[in-house]
Amino acid sequence: MSDLPGIRAAQQAAPAAPSATDLVPPSPRQDDDARWLTPLASSGPAHDRAVRELHLLLLRASTFEVRRRSAALGLSASSELDDIANQAADDALLAIMSRLDRFERRSKFTTWAYKFAIHSAGVAVRRHAWRNRDLSPDSSESLEHLTRLSDDPGEAAETRELLARIATAITRLTAHQRDVLLALAVDGVPIDVLADRLSSNRNALYKTLHDARARLRGLLDDEETTG
Amino acid sequence: MTSPTPPLVAALLGPAGPEIGCDECFERLDGYVELEIAGADAEASTPGMRAHLDGCPACSEEHQSLHAFVLTSNEEGDNA
């Protein structure tokens, strides 16, 4: 880790007399080196202190996200959710420590670190909320549900017509595209939960979703052109 | 006037414009949020991010949470 450019430059800089530039507050990026990157990449008491302080910040971020996400999902406060926040902070710390050399300084170090805690906590709460829910083994029920919605008098006529065209076009997608699209868009399965069940990951499933949506829009456009 | 797209139709058809994927979204999210908070043109720094956030509920939730948490931390002086 000590070959980070900023750290190497700091180590090589000789002590100098105060100059006019010393009167200017250091930029957030310079602060990051002294406050976080140098101690985290070193060993000894300064390292241990920085790790403890970072873990506390990550726990605040993960607790914030657990409360936010569990409220949105209607989950009551529980010791399980507290455990999830703690585990998410631990996971985020491990992820950050293994990626210190990949911090690209597009933001403050703390903002970069917070996103790991929020990601870990959000994924964990979604998994927790869906832990006892079965996913439909195939998408035929979801497609039937979509077809029923296209007959729902509660929907605007324009929407009903569009949903009916979409339901027809969906049958022309590949089976995998159809299953992923209907699970995510109609059944509301969180993408990380579906990724777990399909032994996939968020990025790969979103690519499938993106391709399915593009194909669907293309089919509807073709219909309008030829119809 | 065009009526707003119903959420189910939007979820099925997704954003029409070019968009980045979830991995790139995560990579760029921290810088994007800081630019937004600073009032800068965040989308110019990462073209396709806005479309992705419109199309991916999970990434959108993380974006909203990071934005809210950084704002709170800035106000409390903890984002140093």
Side-chain angles (χ1 to χ4, degrees):
Chain A
M1 298 294 181
S2 60
D3 61 351
L4 283 171
I7 293 174
R8 190 167 57 239
Q11 288 169 339
Q12 289 170 349
S19 67
T21 55
D22 292 324
L23 303 176
V24 177
S27 72
R29 308 298 188 260
Q30 290 169 319
D31 278 349
D32 282 339
D33 285 333
R35 176 79 174 83
W36 296 110
L37 293 168
T38 302
L40 288 173
S42 67
S43 58
H47 167 85
D48 296 344
R49 188 167 53 248
V51 168
R52 280 196 304 274
E53 289 173 357
L54 178 58
H55 188 266
L56 277 177
L57 292 180
L58 295 174
L59 184 57
R60 285 189 56 193
S62 64
T63 301
F64 176 88
E65 177 63 356
V66 165
R67 288 179 181 160
R68 195 174 160 96
R69 206 50 49 216
S70 55
L73 291 166
L75 303 174
S76 306
S78 69
S79 60
E80 279 180 303
L81 291 175
D82 293 341
D83 290 344
I84 286 173
N86 277 298
Q87 186 61 52
D90 293 350
D91 292 346
L93 182 63
L94 280 175
I96 289 164
M97 295 305 289
S98 68
R99 290 172 175 80
L100 274 184
D101 57 347
R102 286 160 57 183
F103 172 53
E104 294 184 0
R105 298 165 193 271
R106 291 193 183 105
S107 68
K108 292 178 190 171
F109 177 78
T110 44
T111 303
W112 180 73
Y114 291 149
K115 75 176 176 181
F116 288 90
I118 285 171
H119 171 79
S120 295
V123 170
V125 173
R126 289 186 205 101
R127 284 179 179 150
H128 177 74
W130 280 73
R131 68 195 183 286
N132 296 325
R133 294 176 67 168
D134 289 330
L135 301 191
S136 181
D138 68 63
S139 56
S140 58
E141 284 180 26
S142 311
L143 189 55
E144 284 169 18
H145 175 63
L146 184 61
T147 305
R148 279 196 302 276
L149 283 176
S150 67
D151 290 329
D152 183 351
E155 298 285 352
E158 189 185 349
T159 303
R160 288 206 308 270
E161 191 226 350
L162 182 53
L163 288 175
R165 290 172 57 211
I166 290 173
T168 302
I170 282 176
T171 62
R172 297 177 62 187
L173 301 177
T174 68
H176 182 55
Q177 286 177 339
R178 193 163 55 238
D179 289 347
V180 169
L181 175 68
L182 288 167
L184 296 175
V186 176
D187 299 341
V189 180
I191 194 167
D192 302 305
V193 172
L194 188 62
D196 288 345
R197 309 282 173 103
L198 298 178
S199 302
S200 183
N201 61 63
R202 186 191 293 189
N203 196 62
L205 271 195
Y206 193 82
K207 174 74 169 61
T208 301
L209 176 67
H210 175 269
D211 292 348
R213 286 165 160 174
R215 173 84 177 123
L216 207 50
R217 290 195 301 271
L219 288 166
L220 295 179
D221 286 347
D222 289 348
E223 217 179 78
E224 282 176 10
T225 306
T226 57
Chain B
M1 183 188 290
T2 309
S3 57
T5 307
L8 177 58
V9 173
L12 285 162
L13 297 181
E19 60 176 306
I20 60 174
C22 297
D23 284 353
E24 190 177 355
C25 174
F26 185 76
E27 283 300 314
R28 310 289 296 219
L29 190 61
D30 49 312
Y32 188 88
V33 162
E34 284 199 354
L35 287 170
E36 283 183 316
I37 289 173
D41 185 357
E43 182 65 14
S45 75
T46 312
M49 176 73 110
R50 185 68 259 167
H52 181 69
L53 296 175
D54 287 342
C56 180
C59 289
S60 178
E61 286 171 2
E62 288 171 14
H63 164 254
Q64 290 170 28
S65 291
L66 185 63
H67 190 113
F69 187 73
V70 170
L71 270 182
T72 303
S73 298
N74 285 348
E75 285 166 9
E76 295 173 358
D78 286 342
N79 198 30

